[in-house]
């Protein structure tokens, strides 16, 4: 198991174990914390399917390339893990933990299954990555889609960019206060993000 896989396994198991141990009222508290974010993710899904569904299917999905999903090429925030575990069924988490046990000698992400990503709510970095050729093609044909995309990117910052209290920071704090730590807690261990928190640098 690579260090990437171990880091992912540790975070996933810890979050799964903790969330399973919560009383229903505590769990509901988590669910209400992430409700707006899930609505935001739904809006991105609608946008991507409307504007990029065709080009991504033609360029990557039909021929099984999935160029977005390269091996160990993505940053997973701790909050990504928490949100995904919250919305997933137990068997879906077990599938993730199982694939993480396998050696990955492939050039593709370990989470890429036959039907696409195995996460129910994939990491935000994956969700909002669009390759330059696809963006160029779509945004030249539909400039208004570029405006919508910029708006979605600004909305993303309201949840992820810690120049103000944001969900991704709050979720880390919640676990830290409960006595947990993960190397994926970038809001608390990335020098760049700590500087943003301290100085309020706009993203
Ligand atoms: S954004 Fe680009 S690389 Fe990613 S799936 Fe679409 S066409 Fe492929
Ligand atoms: S986590 Fe999912 S979407 Fe992200 S790179 Fe891996 S397979 Fe692709």
């Amino acid at each position: 198991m690579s260090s990437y896989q171990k880091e992912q396994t540790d975070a996933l198991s810890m979050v799964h174990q903790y969330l399973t141990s919560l009383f229903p009222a505590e769990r509901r508290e988590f669910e209400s914390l992430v409700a707006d974010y899930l609505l935001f993710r739904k809006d991105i899904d609608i946008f991507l399917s409307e504007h990029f569904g065709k080009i991504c299917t033609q360029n990557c999905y039909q021929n099984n390339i999935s160029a977005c999903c390269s091996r160990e090429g993505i940053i997973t925030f701790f909050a990504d893990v928490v949100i995904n575990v919250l919305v997933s069924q137990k068997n879906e988490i077990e599938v993730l933990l199982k694939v993480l046990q396998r050696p990955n000698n492939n050039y593709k992400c370990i989470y890429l299954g036959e039907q696409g990503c195995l996460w129910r709510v994939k990491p935000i970095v994956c969700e909002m990555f669009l390759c330059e050729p696809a963006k160029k093609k779509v945004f030249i044909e539909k400039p208004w889609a570029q405006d919508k995309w910029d708006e979605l990117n600004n909305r993303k910052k309201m949840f992820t960019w810690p120049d103000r209290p944001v969900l991704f920071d709050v979720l880390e704090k919640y676990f830290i206060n409960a006595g947990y730590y993960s190397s994926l807690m970038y809001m608390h261990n990335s020098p760049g993000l700590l500087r943003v928190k301290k100085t309020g640098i706009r993203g």
Side-chain angles (χ1 to χ4, degrees), residues 144-192:
W144 68 92
Q146 165 93 65
D147 296 339
K148 179 74 187 157
W149 182 239
D150 293 344
E151 185 196 314
L152 288 167
N153 268 292
N154 285 332
R155 274 176 73 192
K156 177 188 84 169
K157 289 180 198 151
M158 310 289 283
F159 299 103
T160 63
W161 191 252
D163 61 342
R164 69 199 98 190
V166 288
L167 176 69
F168 274 40
D169 191 24
V170 168
L171 290 175
E172 285 187 13
K173 257 188 217 139
Y174 202 107
F175 276 78
I176 290 170
N177 291 340
Y180 294 93
Y181 178 74
S182 160
S183 50
L184 300 183
M185 291 176 172
Y186 300 122
M187 298 285 162
H188 288 84
N189 65 20
S190 150

Tab-separated table of all heavy atoms in Angstrom, residues 144-192:
chain	number	residue	atom	x	y	z
A	144	TRP	N	-21.809	32.416	-22.149
A	144	TRP	CA	-22.573	32.552	-20.902
A	144	TRP	C	-22.265	31.414	-19.923
A	144	TRP	O	-22.368	31.578	-18.701
A	144	TRP	CB	-24.075	32.628	-21.194
A	144	TRP	CG	-24.649	31.338	-21.729
A	144	TRP	CD1	-25.209	30.333	-21.010
A	144	TRP	CD2	-24.688	30.919	-23.095
A	144	TRP	NE1	-25.599	29.308	-21.840
A	144	TRP	CE2	-25.299	29.638	-23.126
A	144	TRP	CE3	-24.281	31.493	-24.297
A	144	TRP	CZ2	-25.490	28.938	-24.314
A	144	TRP	CZ3	-24.481	30.777	-25.471
A	144	TRP	CH2	-25.072	29.525	-25.466
A	145	ALA	N	-21.840	30.263	-20.483
A	145	ALA	CA	-21.489	29.142	-19.605
A	145	ALA	C	-20.214	29.475	-18.817
A	145	ALA	O	-20.052	29.024	-17.681
A	145	ALA	CB	-21.294	27.866	-20.421
A	146	GLN	N	-19.351	30.264	-19.430
A	146	GLN	CA	-18.132	30.687	-18.719
A	146	GLN	C	-18.515	31.539	-17.489
A	146	GLN	O	-17.944	31.374	-16.411
A	146	GLN	CB	-17.245	31.507	-19.665
A	146	GLN	CG	-16.141	32.297	-18.979
A	146	GLN	CD	-14.825	31.555	-18.919
A	146	GLN	OE1	-14.217	31.291	-19.956
A	146	GLN	NE2	-14.388	31.229	-17.716
A	147	ASP	N	-19.505	32.432	-17.664
A	147	ASP	CA	-19.954	33.259	-16.533
A	147	ASP	C	-20.515	32.387	-15.408
A	147	ASP	O	-20.254	32.601	-14.237
A	147	ASP	CB	-21.048	34.251	-16.975
A	147	ASP	CG	-20.506	35.251	-17.990
A	147	ASP	OD1	-19.269	35.427	-18.029
A	147	ASP	OD2	-21.306	35.825	-18.746
A	148	LYS	N	-21.273	31.406	-15.805
A	148	LYS	CA	-21.883	30.502	-14.810
A	148	LYS	C	-20.781	29.710	-14.083
A	148	LYS	O	-20.839	29.501	-12.865
A	148	LYS	CB	-22.852	29.561	-15.538
A	148	LYS	CG	-23.544	28.556	-14.668
A	148	LYS	CD	-24.635	29.180	-13.811
A	148	LYS	CE	-25.205	28.175	-12.822
A	148	LYS	NZ	-25.830	28.758	-11.670
A	149	TRP	N	-19.771	29.305	-14.862
A	149	TRP	CA	-18.660	28.540	-14.276
A	149	TRP	C	-17.888	29.411	-13.270
A	149	TRP	O	-17.525	28.968	-12.186
A	149	TRP	CB	-17.745	28.042	-15.399
A	149	TRP	CG	-16.587	27.213	-14.950
A	149	TRP	CD1	-15.257	27.468	-15.153
A	149	TRP	CD2	-16.628	25.965	-14.223
A	149	TRP	NE1	-14.485	26.476	-14.605
A	149	TRP	CE2	-15.303	25.545	-14.034
A	149	TRP	CE3	-17.657	25.183	-13.722
A	149	TRP	CZ2	-14.973	24.362	-13.351
A	149	TRP	CZ3	-17.330	24.005	-13.039
A	149	TRP	CH2	-16.012	23.621	-12.868
A	150	ASP	N	-17.667	30.674	-13.650
A	150	ASP	CA	-16.978	31.594	-12.732
A	150	ASP	C	-17.794	31.775	-11.451
A	150	ASP	O	-17.248	31.817	-10.350
A	150	ASP	CB	-16.764	32.969	-13.395
A	150	ASP	CG	-15.778	32.887	-14.554
A	150	ASP	OD1	-15.045	31.876	-14.638
A	150	ASP	OD2	-15.749	33.820	-15.380
A	151	GLU	N	-19.107	31.864	-11.624
A	151	GLU	CA	-19.985	32.025	-10.460
A	151	GLU	C	-19.892	30.787	-9.544
A	151	GLU	O	-19.818	30.912	-8.324
A	151	GLU	CB	-21.418	32.200	-10.981
A	151	GLU	CG	-22.454	32.497	-9.928
A	151	GLU	CD	-23.862	32.263	-10.483
A	151	GLU	OE1	-24.158	32.712	-11.623
A	151	GLU	OE2	-24.653	31.596	-9.789
A	152	LEU	N	-19.852	29.607	-10.150
A	152	LEU	CA	-19.735	28.381	-9.346
A	152	LEU	C	-18.385	28.341	-8.618
A	152	LEU	O	-18.296	27.911	-7.467
A	152	LEU	CB	-19.900	27.138	-10.234
A	152	LEU	CG	-21.328	26.877	-10.732
A	152	LEU	CD1	-21.342	25.825	-11.840
A	152	LEU	CD2	-22.226	26.415	-9.575
A	153	ASN	N	-17.341	28.814	-9.293
A	153	ASN	CA	-16.028	28.854	-8.641
A	153	ASN	C	-16.031	29.810	-7.460
A	153	ASN	O	-15.397	29.533	-6.437
A	153	ASN	CB	-14.947	29.259	-9.650
A	153	ASN	CG	-14.343	28.027	-10.299
A	153	ASN	OD1	-13.647	27.252	-9.636
A	153	ASN	ND2	-14.635	27.829	-11.572
A	154	ASN	N	-16.740	30.915	-7.595
A	154	ASN	CA	-16.847	31.844	-6.463
A	154	ASN	C	-17.641	31.225	-5.324
A	154	ASN	O	-17.302	31.395	-4.156
A	154	ASN	CB	-17.504	33.160	-6.905
A	154	ASN	CG	-16.528	33.999	-7.699
A	154	ASN	OD1	-15.309	33.897	-7.498
A	154	ASN	ND2	-17.023	34.817	-8.614
A	155	ARG	N	-18.687	30.497	-5.665
A	155	ARG	CA	-19.477	29.824	-4.617
A	155	ARG	C	-18.634	28.775	-3.892
A	155	ARG	O	-18.750	28.578	-2.692
A	155	ARG	CB	-20.717	29.162	-5.222
A	155	ARG	CG	-21.892	30.126	-5.325
A	155	ARG	CD	-23.057	29.463	-6.012
A	155	ARG	NE	-23.754	28.470	-5.193
A	155	ARG	CZ	-24.648	27.622	-5.675
A	155	ARG	NH1	-24.967	27.647	-6.956
A	155	ARG	NH2	-25.239	26.757	-4.884
A	156	LYS	N	-17.787	28.104	-4.668
A	156	LYS	CA	-16.914	27.079	-4.060
A	156	LYS	C	-16.092	27.690	-2.923
A	156	LYS	O	-15.929	27.095	-1.857
A	156	LYS	CB	-15.986	26.497	-5.127
A	156	LYS	CG	-15.001	25.486	-4.571
A	156	LYS	CD	-13.974	25.054	-5.588
A	156	LYS	CE	-12.832	26.040	-5.629
A	156	LYS	NZ	-11.669	25.583	-6.386
A	157	LYS	N	-15.589	28.893	-3.171
A	157	LYS	CA	-14.723	29.531	-2.162
A	157	LYS	C	-15.463	29.782	-0.847
A	157	LYS	O	-14.857	29.804	0.213
A	157	LYS	CB	-14.179	30.860	-2.706
A	157	LYS	CG	-13.149	30.654	-3.789
A	157	LYS	CD	-12.643	31.980	-4.301
A	157	LYS	CE	-11.975	31.780	-5.655
A	157	LYS	NZ	-12.069	32.972	-6.498
A	158	MET	N	-16.783	29.980	-0.927
A	158	MET	CA	-17.555	30.216	0.298
A	158	MET	C	-17.527	28.988	1.224
A	158	MET	O	-17.835	29.086	2.401
A	158	MET	CB	-19.025	30.517	-0.032
A	158	MET	CG	-19.236	31.578	-1.076
A	158	MET	SD	-18.826	33.195	-0.473
A	158	MET	CE	-20.242	33.548	0.526
A	159	PHE	N	-17.199	27.826	0.646
A	159	PHE	CA	-17.136	26.602	1.453
A	159	PHE	C	-15.700	26.161	1.739
A	159	PHE	O	-15.455	25.433	2.695
A	159	PHE	CB	-17.841	25.443	0.712
A	159	PHE	CG	-19.291	25.699	0.443
A	159	PHE	CD1	-19.726	26.067	-0.825
A	159	PHE	CD2	-20.230	25.570	1.462
A	159	PHE	CE1	-21.069	26.304	-1.083
A	159	PHE	CE2	-21.574	25.802	1.217
A	159	PHE	CZ	-21.997	26.175	-0.051
A	160	THR	N	-14.776	26.592	0.883
A	160	THR	CA	-13.438	25.980	0.951
A	160	THR	C	-12.283	26.947	1.195
A	160	THR	O	-11.183	26.501	1.503
A	160	THR	CB	-13.130	25.244	-0.374
A	160	THR	OG1	-13.100	26.223	-1.436
A	160	THR	CG2	-14.152	24.181	-0.694
A	161	TRP	N	-12.490	28.234	0.983
A	161	TRP	CA	-11.356	29.169	1.070
A	161	TRP	C	-11.392	29.867	2.429
A	161	TRP	O	-12.293	30.660	2.709
A	161	TRP	CB	-11.409	30.183	-0.088
A	161	TRP	CG	-10.145	30.982	-0.184
A	161	TRP	CD1	-9.987	32.301	0.140
A	161	TRP	CD2	-8.864	30.524	-0.631
A	161	TRP	NE1	-8.682	32.686	-0.075
A	161	TRP	CE2	-7.975	31.612	-0.542
A	161	TRP	CE3	-8.375	29.291	-1.080
A	161	TRP	CZ2	-6.625	31.519	-0.893
A	161	TRP	CZ3	-7.036	29.186	-1.426
A	161	TRP	CH2	-6.184	30.288	-1.336
A	162	PRO	N	-10.395	29.592	3.288
A	162	PRO	CA	-10.535	29.988	4.707
A	162	PRO	C	-10.164	31.434	5.029
A	162	PRO	O	-9.598	31.698	6.086
A	162	PRO	CB	-9.596	29.002	5.408
A	162	PRO	CG	-8.535	28.730	4.405
A	162	PRO	CD	-9.169	28.824	3.050
A	163	ASP	N	-10.495	32.376	4.134
A	163	ASP	CA	-10.306	33.789	4.500
A	163	ASP	C	-11.465	34.255	5.384
A	163	ASP	O	-11.538	35.399	5.794
A	163	ASP	CB	-10.172	34.678	3.250
A	163	ASP	CG	-11.402	34.628	2.357
A	163	ASP	OD1	-12.204	33.683	2.489
A	163	ASP	OD2	-11.557	35.534	1.526
A	164	ARG	N	-12.406	33.328	5.622
A	164	ARG	CA	-13.553	33.554	6.523
A	164	ARG	C	-13.898	32.162	7.075
A	164	ARG	O	-13.351	31.160	6.586
A	164	ARG	CB	-14.720	34.138	5.729
A	164	ARG	CG	-15.312	33.147	4.761
A	164	ARG	CD	-16.126	33.774	3.673
A	164	ARG	NE	-15.306	33.892	2.452
A	164	ARG	CZ	-15.666	34.562	1.384
A	164	ARG	NH1	-16.798	35.203	1.355
A	164	ARG	NH2	-14.894	34.597	0.311
A	165	PRO	N	-14.798	32.071	8.057
A	165	PRO	CA	-15.143	30.732	8.543
A	165	PRO	C	-15.848	29.933	7.442
A	165	PRO	O	-16.878	30.382	6.929
A	165	PRO	CB	-16.108	31.016	9.706
A	165	PRO	CG	-15.873	32.438	10.063
A	165	PRO	CD	-15.473	33.137	8.800
A	166	VAL	N	-15.270	28.831	7.047
A	166	VAL	CA	-15.849	28.046	5.944
A	166	VAL	C	-16.070	26.596	6.380
A	166	VAL	O	-15.401	26.108	7.291
A	166	VAL	CB	-14.948	28.064	4.676
A	166	VAL	CG1	-14.983	29.413	3.991
A	166	VAL	CG2	-13.519	27.647	4.995
A	167	LEU	N	-16.993	25.945	5.689
A	167	LEU	CA	-17.367	24.571	6.040
A	167	LEU	C	-16.156	23.634	6.136
A	167	LEU	O	-16.058	22.831	7.063
A	167	LEU	CB	-18.350	24.033	4.981
A	167	LEU	CG	-18.771	22.581	5.157
A	167	LEU	CD1	-19.658	22.417	6.393
A	167	LEU	CD2	-19.503	22.070	3.916
A	168	PHE	N	-15.230	23.734	5.179
A	168	PHE	CA	-14.113	22.788	5.158
A	168	PHE	C	-13.234	22.934	6.403
A	168	PHE	O	-12.643	21.959	6.866
A	168	PHE	CB	-13.292	22.957	3.870
A	168	PHE	CG	-13.839	22.157	2.713
A	168	PHE	CD1	-15.205	22.068	2.497
A	168	PHE	CD2	-12.995	21.481	1.835
A	168	PHE	CE1	-15.728	21.320	1.435
A	168	PHE	CE2	-13.505	20.730	0.780
A	168	PHE	CZ	-14.868	20.650	0.577
A	169	ASP	N	-13.168	24.139	6.937
A	169	ASP	CA	-12.413	24.376	8.165
A	169	ASP	C	-13.227	23.899	9.375
A	169	ASP	O	-12.696	23.243	10.278
A	169	ASP	CB	-12.100	25.882	8.260
A	169	ASP	CG	-11.092	26.190	9.348
A	169	ASP	OD1	-10.305	25.291	9.709
A	169	ASP	OD2	-11.088	27.327	9.841
A	170	VAL	N	-14.499	24.219	9.358
A	170	VAL	CA	-15.378	23.850	10.480
A	170	VAL	C	-15.389	22.331	10.692
A	170	VAL	O	-15.302	21.843	11.820
A	170	VAL	CB	-16.823	24.367	10.217
A	170	VAL	CG1	-17.826	23.781	11.192
A	170	VAL	CG2	-16.853	25.892	10.271
A	171	LEU	N	-15.453	21.591	9.594
A	171	LEU	CA	-15.499	20.124	9.728
A	171	LEU	C	-14.195	19.579	10.324
A	171	LEU	O	-14.208	18.665	11.147
A	171	LEU	CB	-15.799	19.475	8.373
A	171	LEU	CG	-17.224	19.690	7.851
A	171	LEU	CD1	-17.400	19.111	6.455
A	171	LEU	CD2	-18.267	19.074	8.795
A	172	GLU	N	-13.078	20.158	9.896
A	172	GLU	CA	-11.797	19.729	10.497
A	172	GLU	C	-11.792	20.022	11.998
A	172	GLU	O	-11.410	19.175	12.809
A	172	GLU	CB	-10.615	20.453	9.833
A	172	GLU	CG	-10.305	19.917	8.453
A	172	GLU	CD	-9.026	20.508	7.863
A	172	GLU	OE1	-8.238	21.147	8.601
A	172	GLU	OE2	-8.803	20.320	6.656
A	173	LYS	N	-12.220	21.248	12.331
A	173	LYS	CA	-12.217	21.660	13.751
A	173	LYS	C	-13.058	20.713	14.595
A	173	LYS	O	-12.701	20.363	15.703
A	173	LYS	CB	-12.797	23.079	13.863
A	173	LYS	CG	-11.730	24.124	14.071
A	173	LYS	CD	-12.353	25.470	14.382
A	173	LYS	CE	-11.521	26.538	13.713
A	173	LYS	NZ	-12.272	27.603	13.103
A	174	TYR	N	-14.181	20.316	14.036
A	174	TYR	CA	-15.088	19.425	14.755
A	174	TYR	C	-14.357	18.145	15.166
A	174	TYR	O	-14.428	17.691	16.291
A	174	TYR	CB	-16.274	19.094	13.842
A	174	TYR	CG	-17.501	18.646	14.585
A	174	TYR	CD1	-18.604	19.481	14.704
A	174	TYR	CD2	-17.566	17.391	15.171
A	174	TYR	CE1	-19.738	19.087	15.381
A	174	TYR	CE2	-18.694	16.979	15.854
A	174	TYR	CZ	-19.785	17.818	15.949
A	174	TYR	OH	-20.902	17.421	16.619
A	175	PHE	N	-13.635	17.578	14.217
A	175	PHE	CA	-12.912	16.335	14.505
A	175	PHE	C	-11.718	16.584	15.432
A	175	PHE	O	-11.430	15.770	16.310
A	175	PHE	CB	-12.458	15.662	13.199
A	175	PHE	CG	-13.535	14.823	12.588
A	175	PHE	CD1	-14.578	15.409	11.883
A	175	PHE	CD2	-13.534	13.443	12.740
A	175	PHE	CE1	-15.597	14.638	11.338
A	175	PHE	CE2	-14.545	12.661	12.204
A	175	PHE	CZ	-15.583	13.256	11.499
A	176	ILE	N	-11.042	17.704	15.230
A	176	ILE	CA	-9.885	18.011	16.093
A	176	ILE	C	-10.366	18.160	17.539
A	176	ILE	O	-9.770	17.611	18.464
A	176	ILE	CB	-9.161	19.287	15.594
A	176	ILE	CG1	-8.449	18.986	14.274
A	176	ILE	CG2	-8.159	19.798	16.636
A	176	ILE	CD1	-7.894	20.199	13.559
A	177	ASN	N	-11.490	18.864	17.710
A	177	ASN	CA	-12.027	19.040	19.065
A	177	ASN	C	-12.456	17.712	19.683
A	177	ASN	O	-12.497	17.571	20.902
A	177	ASN	CB	-13.219	20.010	19.063
A	177	ASN	CG	-12.764	21.417	18.766
A	177	ASN	OD1	-11.583	21.742	18.925
A	177	ASN	ND2	-13.674	22.272	18.314
A	178	ALA	N	-12.783	16.754	18.828
A	178	ALA	CA	-13.171	15.429	19.342
A	178	ALA	C	-11.937	14.545	19.554
A	178	ALA	O	-12.059	13.372	19.896
A	178	ALA	CB	-14.139	14.759	18.370
A	179	GLY	N	-10.737	15.106	19.304
A	179	GLY	CA	-9.501	14.365	19.584
A	179	GLY	C	-8.915	13.617	18.407
A	179	GLY	O	-8.052	12.753	18.571
A	180	TYR	N	-9.365	13.940	17.191
A	180	TYR	CA	-8.861	13.231	16.009
A	180	TYR	C	-7.913	14.117	15.204
A	180	TYR	O	-7.996	15.338	15.258
A	180	TYR	CB	-10.014	12.814	15.101
A	180	TYR	CG	-10.919	11.786	15.732
A	180	TYR	CD1	-12.051	12.177	16.439
A	180	TYR	CD2	-10.637	10.430	15.630
A	180	TYR	CE1	-12.879	11.240	17.030
A	180	TYR	CE2	-11.461	9.486	16.220
A	180	TYR	CZ	-12.582	9.897	16.913
A	180	TYR	OH	-13.396	8.969	17.502
A	181	TYR	N	-7.035	13.443	14.452
A	181	TYR	CA	-6.150	14.203	13.563
A	181	TYR	C	-5.909	13.391	12.294
A	181	TYR	O	-5.809	12.176	12.319
A	181	TYR	CB	-4.799	14.506	14.236
A	181	TYR	CG	-3.897	15.248	13.287
A	181	TYR	CD1	-4.133	16.599	12.999
A	181	TYR	CD2	-2.872	14.581	12.603
A	181	TYR	CE1	-3.351	17.270	12.075
A	181	TYR	CE2	-2.090	15.252	11.682
A	181	TYR	CZ	-2.331	16.585	11.415
A	181	TYR	OH	-1.573	17.252	10.484
A	182	SER	N	-5.815	14.112	11.173
A	182	SER	CA	-5.483	13.463	9.904
A	182	SER	C	-4.547	14.384	9.132
A	182	SER	O	-4.676	15.613	9.210
A	182	SER	CB	-6.767	13.235	9.096
A	182	SER	OG	-6.452	13.058	7.727
A	183	SER	N	-3.632	13.775	8.380
A	183	SER	CA	-2.723	14.590	7.552
A	183	SER	C	-3.497	15.279	6.418
A	183	SER	O	-2.979	16.167	5.759
A	183	SER	CB	-1.596	13.721	6.991
A	183	SER	OG	-2.148	12.577	6.391
A	184	LEU	N	-4.745	14.867	6.193
A	184	LEU	CA	-5.557	15.531	5.157
A	184	LEU	C	-6.210	16.817	5.666
A	184	LEU	O	-6.911	17.492	4.921
A	184	LEU	CB	-6.657	14.579	4.660
A	184	LEU	CG	-6.215	13.259	4.028
A	184	LEU	CD1	-7.436	12.492	3.528
A	184	LEU	CD2	-5.247	13.477	2.890
A	185	MET	N	-5.947	17.162	6.924
A	185	MET	CA	-6.546	18.394	7.486
A	185	MET	C	-5.736	19.609	7.054
A	185	MET	O	-5.077	20.270	7.871
A	185	MET	CB	-6.621	18.290	9.015
A	185	MET	CG	-7.619	17.264	9.494
A	185	MET	SD	-7.574	17.125	11.294
A	185	MET	CE	-8.988	16.050	11.601
A	186	TYR	N	-5.818	19.905	5.769
A	186	TYR	CA	-4.971	20.978	5.214
A	186	TYR	C	-5.319	22.354	5.781
A	186	TYR	O	-4.490	23.244	5.781
A	186	TYR	CB	-5.073	21.006	3.684
A	186	TYR	CG	-4.631	19.719	3.043
A	186	TYR	CD1	-5.481	18.980	2.225
A	186	TYR	CD2	-3.346	19.216	3.272
A	186	TYR	CE1	-5.081	17.786	1.655
A	186	TYR	CE2	-2.943	18.016	2.706
A	186	TYR	CZ	-3.809	17.303	1.900
A	186	TYR	OH	-3.419	16.117	1.355
A	187	MET	N	-6.563	22.525	6.232
A	187	MET	CA	-6.947	23.820	6.813
A	187	MET	C	-6.170	24.079	8.105
A	187	MET	O	-6.106	25.195	8.590
A	187	MET	CB	-8.451	23.836	7.134
A	187	MET	CG	-9.329	23.675	5.921
A	187	MET	SD	-9.386	25.195	4.960
A	187	MET	CE	-9.984	24.568	3.410
A	188	HIS	N	-5.624	22.997	8.670
A	188	HIS	CA	-4.878	23.135	9.919
A	188	HIS	C	-3.408	22.777	9.790
A	188	HIS	O	-2.662	22.896	10.757
A	188	HIS	CB	-5.529	22.271	11.014
A	188	HIS	CG	-6.829	22.838	11.479
A	188	HIS	ND1	-8.017	22.599	10.817
A	188	HIS	CD2	-7.113	23.688	12.492
A	188	HIS	CE1	-8.978	23.256	11.429
A	188	HIS	NE2	-8.469	23.928	12.443
A	189	ASN	N	-2.987	22.292	8.620
A	189	ASN	CA	-1.557	21.954	8.532
A	189	ASN	C	-0.875	22.467	7.262
A	189	ASN	O	0.337	22.277	7.104
A	189	ASN	CB	-1.343	20.435	8.690
A	189	ASN	CG	-1.968	19.645	7.544
A	189	ASN	OD1	-2.237	20.186	6.469
A	189	ASN	ND2	-2.195	18.362	7.761
A	190	SER	N	-1.617	23.108	6.371
A	190	SER	CA	-0.967	23.635	5.166
A	190	SER	C	-0.481	25.064	5.448
A	190	SER	O	-1.301	25.933	5.792
A	190	SER	CB	-1.962	23.638	4.000
A	190	SER	OG	-1.661	24.692	3.119
A	191	PRO	N	0.828	25.315	5.316
A	191	PRO	CA	1.325	26.671	5.610
A	191	PRO	C	0.592	27.732	4.783
A	191	PRO	O	0.252	28.794	5.298
A	191	PRO	CB	2.807	26.596	5.222
A	191	PRO	CG	3.151	25.132	5.320
A	191	PRO	CD	1.897	24.380	4.974
A	192	GLY	N	0.288	27.432	3.525
A	192	GLY	CA	-0.397	28.397	2.660
A	192	GLY	C	-1.791	28.729	3.183
A	192	GLY	O	-2.172	29.897	3.284
